[in-house]
């Protein structure tokens, strides 16, 4: 992620004899700057060949998406949710999308796959609902969901399906114990 920064209006150069001294910027004004700090060197010279320079630092911060949590439990044949918002007010409208990036296809976005933010609602949490369909195994499946928007760093959320399939309890009760929740089978005598 880079940001185009125009800093020509940030610098004023004056000279006692030259009404229009030359000015250069390194890196050039209007060029894309990476995330983090970039030192900009300004060099000015007048018609007599006198030079002067100064430096300043431009800090490019990432536009971030915020999620209420990065791990979500989703009941099998049910739903789980997390919330998303922007970390700072945008200049205009921002469309946030949520999609499975990898993992079990049984985990899906049930609601909130597309969320819209404006300068008026950027800090309001908006819900994203994940669902997990029923399956025939007793495994807690996982999937990773990517929360993204143009010009923003992606955020990943891991969803875990909490399986409701319980295997048959083949353990025998100890003396004086009672088994509860077991399956009963009638065996035919041979």
């Amino acid at each position: 992620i880079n940001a185009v920064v125009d800093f020509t209006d940030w610098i004023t150069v004056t000279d006692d004899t030259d009404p229009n001294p030359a000015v250069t910027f390194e890196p050039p004004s209007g060029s894309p700057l990476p995330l983090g700090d970039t030192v900009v060197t300004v060099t000015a010279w007048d018609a007599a060949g006198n030079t002067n320079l100064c430096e300043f630092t431009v800090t490019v911060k990432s536009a971030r998406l915020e999620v209420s949590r990065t791990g979500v439990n989703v009941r099998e044949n049910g739903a789980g949710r997390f919330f998303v918002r922007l970390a700072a007010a945008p200049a205009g409208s921002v469309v946030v999308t949520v999609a499975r990036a990898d993992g079990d296809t049984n985990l899906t976005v049930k609601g909130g796959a597309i969320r819209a933010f404006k300068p008026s609602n950027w800090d309001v949490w908006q819900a994203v609902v994940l669902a997990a369909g029923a399956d025939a195994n007793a495994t807690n499946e996982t999937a990773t969901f990517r929360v993204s928007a143009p010009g923003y760093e992606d955020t990943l959320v891991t969803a875990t399906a909490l399986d409701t399939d319980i295997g048959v309890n083949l353990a025998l009760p100890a003396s004086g114990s009672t088994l509860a929740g077991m399956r009963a089978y009638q065996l035919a005598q041979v």
Side-chain angles (χ1 to χ4, degrees):
I1 297 175
N2 291 328
V4 175
V5 181
D6 182 358
F7 31 79
T8 53
D9 293 339
W10 300 1
I11 301 294
T12 303
V13 177
T14 58
D15 186 80
D16 293 341
T17 59
D18 186 346
N20 296 309
V23 178
T24 61
F25 298 92
E26 185 55 43
S29 182
S31 60
L33 301 180
L35 288 177
D37 294 339
T38 300
V39 175
V40 177
T41 303
V42 182
T43 305
W45 64 95
D46 63 16
N50 299 312
T51 63
N52 198 352
L53 62 94
C54 72
E55 293 181 337
F56 60 91
T57 301
V58 176
T59 302
V60 176
K61 294 184 178 180
S62 171
R64 289 184 314 107
L65 301 169
E66 291 184 344
V67 293
S68 58
R69 53 186 161 168
T70 57
V72 177
N73 290 327
V74 183
R75 288 252 174 241
E76 183 178 275
N77 218 15
R81 72 187 69 231
F82 66 95
F83 298 86
V84 63
R85 69 179 179 186
L86 305 182
S93 294
V94 175
V95 175
V96 174
T97 59
V98 180
R100 186 180 53 252
D102 105 38
D104 195 284
T105 57
N106 199 36
L107 286 154
T108 60
V109 179
K110 182 177 180 181
I114 298 174
R115 293 284 160 207
F117 293 92
K118 301 178 275 187
S120 61
N121 75 340
W122 64 272
D123 58 346
V124 176
W125 291 106
Q126 295 189 34
V128 176
V129 180
L130 304 179
D135 60 22
N137 64 37
T139 304
N140 291 341
E141 298 85 0
T142 63
T144 302
F145 290 84
R146 175 173 285 113
V147 182
S148 60
Y152 286 75
E153 280 187 70
D154 290 353
T155 300
L156 300 177
V157 174
T158 301
T160 302
L162 301 178
D163 213 289
T164 57
D165 299 317
I166 299 173
V168 176
N169 185 350
L170 299 178
L172 296 175
S175 177
S177 304
T178 305
L179 273 182
M182 63 178 212
R183 293 184 183 176
Y185 296 94
Q186 182 171 1
L187 302 175
Q189 292 187 357
V190 180

